[in-house]
Amino acid sequence: MDIGETKQYLHQLIDEISDDALLKSVEMLVISEVRRDVEPMSSVELHNRIVQSEEDIKSGRVISQEDLERESENW
């Protein structure tokens, strides 16, 4: 199984999870492995990011879920 197939398989498995606690555990595991080098952001950085996101939404700089899913197939 190549990496693309493995990712698809994992997506399918995750979609089947109905237990919130298990899903949160999976999320935390993935985040801890993928984001090891990410520094926590300050409250000012978080606020600025929220403001920018709200401006993006108001200005129509958004992408639909369908388009995002199609785009992510090529990552």
Side-chain angles (χ1 to χ4, degrees):
M1 191 180 303
D2 68 19
I3 193 162
E5 293 170 327
T6 302
K7 286 181 179 183
Q8 266 188 325
Y9 178 64
L10 287 171
H11 283 280
Q12 290 171 349
L13 290 175
I14 290 169
D15 286 342
E16 294 176 16
I17 297 173
S18 59
D19 181 321
D20 286 341
L22 175 58
L23 194 56
K24 192 69 175 170
S25 296
V26 170
E27 176 188 22
M28 296 309 294
L29 173 65
V30 172
I31 287 172
S32 70
E33 289 300 315
V34 172
R35 308 267 163 103
R36 286 183 182 200
D37 61 340
V38 175
E39 294 291 323
M41 72 176 83
S42 69
S43 59
V44 172
E45 291 170 316
L46 177 60
H47 174 75
N48 290 342
R49 196 174 277 197
I50 291 169
V51 168
Q52 181 64 55
S53 296
E54 289 173 343
E55 289 174 7
D56 288 342
I57 292 167
K58 287 178 186 173
S59 298
R61 292 186 298 265
V62 296
I63 185 170
S64 71
Q65 182 71 28
E66 281 182 348
D67 289 343
L68 179 60
E69 289 174 3
R70 274 194 294 272
E71 184 179 317
S72 69
E73 289 172 2
N74 298 318
W75 293 348

Coordinates of all heavy atoms in Angstrom, one line a residue:
M1 N 0.9 -1.2 0.0 CA 0.0 0.0 0.0 C 0.9 1.2 0.0 O 1.7 1.4 0.9 CB -0.9 0.0 1.3 CG -2.0 1.0 1.2 SD -3.1 1.0 2.7 CE -3.7 -0.7 2.8
D2 N 0.7 2.1 -1.0 CA 1.5 3.4 -1.0 C 1.0 4.4 -0.1 O -0.1 4.2 0.5 CB 1.7 3.9 -2.5 CG 0.4 4.4 -3.0 OD1 -0.6 4.7 -2.3 OD2 0.3 4.6 -4.3
I3 N 1.6 5.5 0.1 CA 1.2 6.5 1.0 C -0.2 7.1 0.7 O -0.9 7.3 1.6 CB 2.3 7.6 1.2 CG1 2.0 8.5 2.4 CG2 2.4 8.5 -0.1 CD1 3.2 9.3 2.9
G4 N -0.5 7.3 -0.5 CA -1.8 7.8 -0.9 C -2.9 6.8 -0.5 O -3.9 7.3 0.0
E5 N -2.7 5.6 -0.8 CA -3.7 4.5 -0.4 C -3.8 4.5 1.1 O -4.9 4.3 1.7 CB -3.3 3.2 -0.9 CG -3.3 3.1 -2.5 CD -2.7 1.8 -3.0 OE1 -1.7 1.3 -2.4 OE2 -3.2 1.4 -4.0
T6 N -2.7 4.6 1.8 CA -2.7 4.5 3.3 C -3.5 5.7 3.9 O -4.3 5.5 4.8 CB -1.3 4.5 3.9 OG1 -0.6 3.4 3.4 CG2 -1.3 4.5 5.4
K7 N -3.3 6.9 3.3 CA -4.0 8.1 3.8 C -5.5 7.9 3.5 O -6.4 8.2 4.4 CB -3.5 9.3 3.1 CG -2.2 9.8 3.6 CD -1.8 11.0 2.8 CE -0.4 11.5 3.4 NZ 0.0 12.8 2.7
Q8 N -5.9 7.4 2.3 CA -7.3 7.2 2.0 C -7.9 6.2 3.0 O -9.0 6.4 3.5 CB -7.5 6.6 0.6 CG -7.7 7.6 -0.4 CD -8.1 7.0 -1.8 OE1 -7.5 6.0 -2.1 NE2 -8.9 7.7 -2.5
Y9 N -7.2 5.1 3.3 CA -7.7 4.1 4.2 C -7.9 4.7 5.6 O -8.9 4.5 6.3 CB -6.7 2.9 4.3 CG -7.1 1.8 5.2 CD1 -8.2 1.1 5.1 CD2 -6.2 1.5 6.3 CE1 -8.6 0.1 6.0 CE2 -6.6 0.5 7.2 CZ -7.8 -0.2 7.0 OH -8.1 -1.1 7.9
L10 N -6.9 5.5 6.1 CA -7.0 6.1 7.4 C -8.2 7.1 7.4 O -8.9 7.1 8.4 CB -5.7 6.9 7.7 CG -4.6 6.0 8.1 CD1 -3.3 6.8 8.2 CD2 -4.8 5.2 9.4
H11 N -8.4 7.8 6.3 CA -9.6 8.7 6.3 C -10.9 7.9 6.4 O -11.8 8.3 7.1 CB -9.6 9.5 4.9 CG -8.7 10.6 4.9 ND1 -8.9 11.8 5.4 CD2 -7.5 10.7 4.3 CE1 -7.9 12.6 5.2 NE2 -7.0 12.0 4.5
Q12 N -10.9 6.8 5.8 CA -12.1 5.9 5.8 C -12.3 5.4 7.3 O -13.5 5.4 7.8 CB -12.0 4.7 4.9 CG -12.1 5.1 3.4 CD -11.8 3.9 2.5 OE1 -11.3 2.9 2.9 NE2 -12.1 4.1 1.2
L13 N -11.3 5.0 7.9 CA -11.4 4.5 9.3 C -11.8 5.6 10.2 O -12.7 5.4 11.1 CB -10.0 3.9 9.7 CG -9.6 2.6 9.1 CD1 -8.2 2.3 9.6 CD2 -10.6 1.5 9.4
I14 N -11.2 6.8 10.1 CA -11.6 7.9 10.9 C -13.1 8.3 10.7 O -13.8 8.6 11.7 CB -10.7 9.1 10.7 CG1 -9.3 8.8 11.2 CG2 -11.2 10.4 11.3 CD1 -8.2 9.7 10.8
D15 N -13.5 8.2 9.5 CA -14.9 8.6 9.2 C -15.9 7.6 9.9 O -17.0 8.0 10.2 CB -15.2 8.5 7.7 CG -14.7 9.7 7.0 OD1 -14.4 10.7 7.6 OD2 -14.5 9.6 5.7
E16 N -15.4 6.4 10.2 CA -16.3 5.4 10.9 C -16.3 5.6 12.4 O -17.1 4.9 13.1 CB -15.8 4.0 10.5 CG -16.0 3.7 9.0 CD -15.5 2.3 8.6 OE1 -15.2 1.5 9.5 OE2 -15.3 2.1 7.4
I17 N -15.4 6.4 13.0 CA -15.4 6.5 14.4 C -16.6 7.4 14.9 O -16.8 8.4 14.4 CB -14.1 7.2 14.9 CG1 -12.9 6.4 14.5 CG2 -14.1 7.5 16.4 CD1 -11.5 7.0 14.7
S18 N -17.3 6.8 15.9 CA -18.5 7.5 16.4 C -18.3 7.9 17.9 O -19.1 8.6 18.4 CB -19.7 6.7 16.2 OG -19.6 5.5 16.9
D19 N -17.2 7.4 18.5 CA -16.9 7.7 19.9 C -16.1 9.0 19.9 O -14.9 9.1 19.4 CB -16.1 6.5 20.4 CG -15.8 6.7 21.9 OD1 -15.4 7.8 22.3 OD2 -15.8 5.7 22.6
D20 N -16.6 10.0 20.6 CA -15.9 11.3 20.6 C -14.6 11.2 21.3 O -13.6 11.9 20.9 CB -16.8 12.4 21.4 CG -18.0 12.8 20.5 OD1 -17.9 12.7 19.3 OD2 -18.9 13.4 21.1
A21 N -14.5 10.5 22.4 CA -13.3 10.3 23.1 C -12.2 9.7 22.3 O -11.0 10.1 22.3 CB -13.5 9.5 24.4
L22 N -12.6 8.6 21.5 CA -11.6 8.0 20.7 C -11.1 8.9 19.6 O -9.9 9.0 19.3 CB -12.2 6.7 20.1 CG -11.3 5.9 19.1 CD1 -10.0 5.5 19.7 CD2 -12.1 4.7 18.5
L23 N -12.1 9.6 19.0 CA -11.7 10.5 17.9 C -10.8 11.6 18.4 O -9.8 12.0 17.8 CB -13.0 11.2 17.3 CG -12.8 11.9 16.0 CD1 -12.2 11.0 14.9 CD2 -14.2 12.4 15.6
K24 N -11.0 12.1 19.6 CA -10.1 13.1 20.2 C -8.8 12.6 20.5 O -7.7 13.2 20.3 CB -10.8 13.7 21.5 CG -10.1 14.9 22.0 CD -10.4 16.1 21.1 CE -9.8 17.3 21.7 NZ -9.8 18.4 20.8
S25 N -8.7 11.3 20.9 CA -7.4 10.7 21.1 C -6.6 10.5 19.8 O -5.4 10.8 19.8 CB -7.6 9.3 21.7 OG -8.2 9.4 23.0
V26 N -7.3 10.1 18.8 CA -6.6 10.0 17.5 C -6.1 11.4 17.0 O -5.0 11.5 16.6 CB -7.6 9.4 16.4 CG1 -7.0 9.5 15.0 CG2 -8.0 8.0 16.7
E27 N -7.0 12.4 17.2 CA -6.6 13.8 16.8 C -5.3 14.2 17.6 O -4.3 14.7 17.0 CB -7.7 14.7 17.1 CG -7.3 16.2 16.9 CD -8.4 17.2 17.4 OE1 -9.2 16.8 18.3 OE2 -8.4 18.3 16.9
M28 N -5.3 14.0 18.9 CA -4.1 14.4 19.7 C -2.9 13.6 19.3 O -1.8 14.2 19.3 CB -4.4 14.2 21.2 CG -5.6 15.1 21.7 SD -5.4 16.8 21.3 CE -4.0 17.2 22.2
L29 N -3.0 12.3 19.0 CA -1.9 11.5 18.5 C -1.3 12.1 17.2 O -0.1 12.3 17.1 CB -2.3 10.1 18.4 CG -1.2 9.1 17.7 CD1 0.0 9.0 18.7 CD2 -1.8 7.8 17.4
V30 N -2.2 12.3 16.3 CA -1.7 12.9 15.0 C -1.1 14.2 15.2 O 0.0 14.5 14.6 CB -2.9 12.9 14.0 CG1 -2.4 13.6 12.7 CG2 -3.3 11.5 13.7
I31 N -1.7 15.1 15.9 CA -1.2 16.4 16.1 C 0.2 16.4 16.8 O 1.2 17.0 16.4 CB -2.1 17.3 17.0 CG1 -3.3 17.7 16.1 CG2 -1.4 18.6 17.5 CD1 -4.4 18.4 16.9
S32 N 0.3 15.5 17.8 CA 1.6 15.4 18.5 C 2.7 14.9 17.6 O 3.9 15.3 17.8 CB 1.5 14.5 19.7 OG 1.3 13.2 19.4
E33 N 2.4 14.1 16.6 CA 3.4 13.6 15.7 C 3.7 14.5 14.5 O 4.9 14.7 14.1 CB 3.0 12.2 15.1 CG 3.0 11.1 16.2 CD 4.4 10.9 16.7 OE1 5.4 10.8 16.0 OE2 4.5 10.7 18.0
V34 N 2.7 15.1 14.0 CA 2.8 16.0 12.8 C 3.4 17.4 13.2 O 4.1 18.0 12.4 CB 1.5 16.1 12.1 CG1 1.6 17.1 11.0 CG2 1.1 14.7 11.6
R35 N 3.0 17.9 14.3 CA 3.3 19.3 14.7 C 4.4 19.4 15.7 O 4.3 20.3 16.5 CB 2.0 19.9 15.1 CG 0.8 19.8 14.2 CD 0.8 21.0 13.3 NE -0.1 20.8 12.2 CZ -1.3 21.2 12.0 NH1 -1.8 21.9 12.9 NH2 -2.0 21.0 10.9
R36 N 5.3 18.5 15.7 CA 6.4 18.6 16.7 C 7.1 19.9 16.7 O 7.6 20.3 17.7 CB 7.3 17.4 16.6 CG 6.8 16.1 17.0 CD 7.8 15.0 16.9 NE 7.1 13.8 17.2 CZ 7.8 12.7 17.6 NH1 9.1 12.7 17.6 NH2 7.2 11.6 18.0
D37 N 7.4 20.4 15.5 CA 8.2 21.6 15.4 C 7.4 22.9 15.5 O 7.9 24.0 15.3 CB 9.0 21.6 14.2 CG 8.2 21.5 12.9 OD1 7.0 21.1 13.0 OD2 8.7 21.8 11.8
V38 N 6.1 22.8 15.7 CA 5.2 24.0 15.7 C 5.3 24.7 17.1 O 5.0 24.0 18.1 CB 3.8 23.7 15.3 CG1 2.9 24.9 15.4 CG2 3.8 23.1 13.9
E39 N 5.5 25.9 17.1 CA 5.5 26.7 18.4 C 4.1 27.2 18.7 O 3.4 27.6 17.8 CB 6.4 27.9 18.3 CG 7.9 27.5 18.1 CD 8.5 26.9 19.3 OE1 8.1 27.3 20.5 OE2 9.3 26.0 19.2
P40 N 3.7 27.1 19.9 CA 2.4 27.7 20.3 C 2.3 29.2 20.0 O 3.3 29.9 20.1 CB 2.3 27.5 21.8 CG 3.5 26.7 22.2 CD 4.4 26.7 21.1
M41 N 1.1 29.6 19.5 CA 1.0 31.0 19.2 C 0.5 31.8 20.4 O -0.1 31.3 21.3 CB 0.1 31.2 18.0 CG -1.3 31.0 18.2 SD -2.3 31.5 16.7 CE -2.1 30.0 15.8
S42 N 1.0 33.1 20.5 CA 0.5 33.9 21.6 C -0.9 34.3 21.4 O -1.5 34.1 20.3 CB 1.4 35.2 21.6 OG 1.1 36.0 20.5
S43 N -1.5 34.9 22.4 CA -2.9 35.3 22.3 C -3.0 36.5 21.3 O -4.0 36.6 20.6 CB -3.4 35.8 23.7 OG -2.6 36.8 24.2
V44 N -2.0 37.3 21.2 CA -2.0 38.4 20.2 C -2.0 37.8 18.7 O -2.8 38.2 17.9 CB -0.8 39.3 20.3 CG1 -0.7 40.3 19.2 CG2 -0.9 40.1 21.7
E45 N -1.2 36.8 18.5 CA -1.1 36.1 17.2 C -2.4 35.4 16.9 O -2.9 35.5 15.8 CB 0.0 35.0 17.2 CG 1.4 35.6 17.2 CD 2.5 34.6 17.4 OE1 2.3 33.7 18.3 OE2 3.5 34.7 16.7
L46 N -3.0 34.8 17.9 CA -4.3 34.1 17.7 C -5.4 35.2 17.4 O -6.2 35.0 16.4 CB -4.7 33.4 19.0 CG -6.1 32.7 19.0 CD1 -6.2 31.7 17.8 CD2 -6.4 32.1 20.3
H47 N -5.4 36.3 18.1 CA -6.4 37.3 17.8 C -6.2 37.8 16.4 O -7.2 38.0 15.6 CB -6.3 38.5 18.8 CG -7.1 39.6 18.5 ND1 -8.5 39.6 18.7 CD2 -6.8 40.8 18.0 CE1 -9.0 40.8 18.3 NE2 -8.0 41.5 17.9
N48 N -5.0 38.1 16.0 CA -4.7 38.6 14.6 C -5.2 37.6 13.6 O -5.7 38.0 12.5 CB -3.2 38.9 14.5 CG -2.8 40.1 15.2 OD1 -3.6 40.9 15.7 ND2 -1.5 40.3 15.5
R49 N -4.9 36.3 13.8 CA -5.4 35.3 12.9 C -6.9 35.3 12.8 O -7.4 35.1 11.7 CB -4.8 34.0 13.3 CG -4.9 32.9 12.2 CD -4.2 31.7 12.5 NE -2.8 31.8 12.3 CZ -2.0 30.7 12.2 NH1 -2.5 29.5 12.3 NH2 -0.7 30.9 12.0
I50 N -7.6 35.4 13.9 CA -9.0 35.4 13.9 C -9.5 36.6 13.1 O -10.4 36.5 12.2 CB -9.6 35.5 15.3 CG1 -9.3 34.1 16.0 CG2 -11.1 35.8 15.3 CD1 -9.6 34.1 17.5
V51 N -9.0 37.8 13.3 CA -9.4 39.0 12.6 C -9.1 38.8 11.1 O -10.0 39.1 10.3 CB -8.6 40.2 13.1 CG1 -8.8 41.4 12.2 CG2 -9.0 40.6 14.5
Q52 N -8.0 38.3 10.7 CA -7.7 38.0 9.3 C -8.7 37.1 8.7 O -9.2 37.3 7.6 CB -6.3 37.5 9.1 CG -5.9 37.3 7.7 CD -5.9 38.6 6.8 OE1 -5.2 39.5 7.2 NE2 -6.6 38.6 5.8
S53 N -9.0 36.0 9.4 CA -10.0 35.0 8.9 C -11.4 35.6 8.7 O -12.0 35.4 7.7 CB -10.1 33.9 9.9 OG -8.9 33.2 10.0
E54 N -11.8 36.5 9.7 CA -13.1 37.1 9.5 C -13.1 38.1 8.3 O -14.1 38.1 7.6 CB -13.4 37.9 10.8 CG -13.8 37.0 11.9 CD -14.0 37.7 13.3 OE1 -13.5 38.8 13.4 OE2 -14.5 37.0 14.2
E55 N -12.0 38.8 8.1 CA -11.8 39.6 6.9 C -11.9 38.8 5.6 O -12.5 39.2 4.6 CB -10.6 40.4 6.9 CG -10.6 41.5 8.0 CD -9.3 42.2 8.1 OE1 -8.3 42.0 7.3 OE2 -9.1 43.1 9.1
D56 N -11.2 37.6 5.6 CA -11.2 36.8 4.4 C -12.7 36.3 4.1 O -13.1 36.3 3.0 CB -10.3 35.5 4.7 CG -8.9 35.9 4.7 OD1 -8.5 36.9 4.1 OD2 -8.1 35.0 5.2
I57 N -13.4 35.9 5.2 CA -14.8 35.5 5.0 C -15.6 36.6 4.4 O -16.4 36.4 3.4 CB -15.4 35.0 6.3 CG1 -14.7 33.7 6.7 CG2 -16.9 34.7 6.2 CD1 -14.9 33.2 8.1
K58 N -15.5 37.8 5.0 CA -16.3 38.9 4.5 C -16.0 39.3 3.1 O -16.9 39.7 2.3 CB -16.1 40.2 5.4 CG -16.8 40.1 6.7 CD -16.4 41.3 7.6 CE -17.0 41.1 9.0 NZ -16.6 42.1 9.9
S59 N -14.7 39.1 2.7 CA -14.3 39.5 1.3 C -14.5 38.3 0.3 O -14.1 38.5 -0.9 CB -12.8 39.8 1.3 OG -12.6 41.0 2.1
G60 N -15.0 37.2 0.8 CA -15.3 36.1 -0.1 C -14.0 35.2 -0.4 O -14.1 34.4 -1.4
R61 N -13.0 35.4 0.3 CA -11.7 34.6 0.1 C -11.9 33.3 0.9 O -11.3 33.1 1.9 CB -10.5 35.4 0.6 CG -10.2 36.6 -0.3 CD -8.9 37.2 0.1 NE -8.9 37.7 1.5 CZ -9.1 39.0 1.8 NH1 -9.5 39.9 0.9 NH2 -9.1 39.4 3.1
V62 N -12.8 32.4 0.3 CA -13.1 31.2 0.9 C -13.1 30.1 -0.1 O -13.0 30.4 -1.3 CB -14.4 31.2 1.6 CG1 -14.5 32.2 2.8 CG2 -15.6 31.5 0.7
I63 N -13.1 28.8 0.3 CA -13.1 27.7 -0.6 C -14.2 26.7 -0.1 O -14.3 26.5 1.1 CB -11.7 27.0 -0.8 CG1 -11.7 25.9 -1.8 CG2 -11.2 26.5 0.6 CD1 -10.4 25.4 -2.1
S64 N -14.9 26.2 -1.0 CA -16.0 25.2 -0.6 C -15.4 23.9 -0.1 O -14.2 23.6 -0.4 CB -16.9 24.9 -1.8 OG -16.3 24.1 -2.7
Q65 N -16.1 23.2 0.7 CA -15.6 21.9 1.2 C -15.3 21.0 0.0 O -14.3 20.3 0.0 CB -16.7 21.3 2.1 CG -16.3 19.9 2.7 CD -15.2 20.1 3.7 OE1 -15.1 21.1 4.4 NE2 -14.4 19.0 3.9
E66 N -16.2 20.9 -1.0 CA -16.0 20.1 -2.2 C -14.7 20.4 -2.9 O -13.9 19.6 -3.2 CB -17.1 20.2 -3.2 CG -18.3 19.4 -2.8 CD -19.4 19.6 -3.9 OE1 -19.3 20.5 -4.8 OE2 -20.4 18.8 -3.8
D67 N -14.4 21.8 -3.1 CA -13.2 22.2 -3.8 C -12.0 21.8 -2.9 O -11.0 21.4 -3.5 CB -13.2 23.7 -4.1 CG -14.2 24.1 -5.2 OD1 -14.6 23.2 -5.9 OD2 -14.6 25.3 -5.3
L68 N -12.1 22.0 -1.6 CA -11.0 21.7 -0.8 C -10.7 20.2 -0.8 O -9.5 19.8 -0.9 CB -11.3 22.1 0.7 CG -10.2 21.8 1.7 CD1 -8.9 22.5 1.4 CD2 -10.7 22.2 3.1
E69 N -11.7 19.4 -0.8 CA -11.5 17.9 -0.9 C -10.8 17.5 -2.2 O -9.9 16.7 -2.2 CB -12.8 17.2 -0.7 CG -13.3 17.2 0.8 CD -14.6 16.6 1.0 OE1 -15.2 16.1 0.0 OE2 -15.1 16.7 2.1
R70 N -11.3 18.1 -3.3 CA -10.6 17.8 -4.6 C -9.2 18.3 -4.6 O -8.3 17.6 -5.1 CB -11.4 18.6 -5.7 CG -12.6 17.8 -6.3 CD -13.1 18.4 -7.6 NE -13.6 19.7 -7.4 CZ -14.9 20.0 -7.1 NH1 -15.7 19.0 -7.0 NH2 -15.3 21.2 -7.0
E71 N -8.9 19.5 -4.1 CA -7.6 20.0 -4.0 C -6.7 19.1 -3.2 O -5.5 18.9 -3.5 CB -7.6 21.4 -3.5 CG -6.3 22.1 -3.5 CD -6.4 23.5 -2.9 OE1 -7.4 24.3 -3.3 OE2 -5.5 23.9 -2.1
S72 N -7.2 18.7 -2.0 CA -6.4 17.9 -1.1 C -6.0 16.5 -1.7 O -5.1 15.9 -1.2 CB -7.1 17.7 0.2 OG -8.2 16.9 0.1
E73 N -6.8 16.0 -2.7 CA -6.4 14.7 -3.3 C -5.0 14.8 -4.0 O -4.4 13.8 -4.2 CB -7.5 14.3 -4.3 CG -8.8 13.9 -3.7 CD -9.9 13.7 -4.7 OE1 -9.7 13.9 -5.9 OE2 -11.0 13.4 -4.2
N74 N -4.6 16.0 -4.3 CA -3.3 16.1 -5.0 C -2.1 16.5 -4.0 O -1.0 16.8 -4.5 CB -3.4 17.3 -6.1 CG -4.4 16.9 -7.1 OD1 -4.5 15.8 -7.6 ND2 -5.3 17.9 -7.5
W75 N -2.4 16.5 -2.8 CA -1.3 16.8 -1.8 C -0.4 15.7 -1.6 O -0.6 14.6 -1.6 CB -1.9 17.3 -0.5 CG -2.6 18.6 -0.5 CD1 -2.7 19.5 -1.5 CD2 -3.5 19.1 0.5 NE1 -3.5 20.5 -1.2 CE2 -4.0 20.3 0.0 CE3 -3.9 18.7 1.8 CZ2 -4.8 21.1 0.8 CZ3 -4.7 19.5 2.5 CH2 -5.2 20.7 2.0

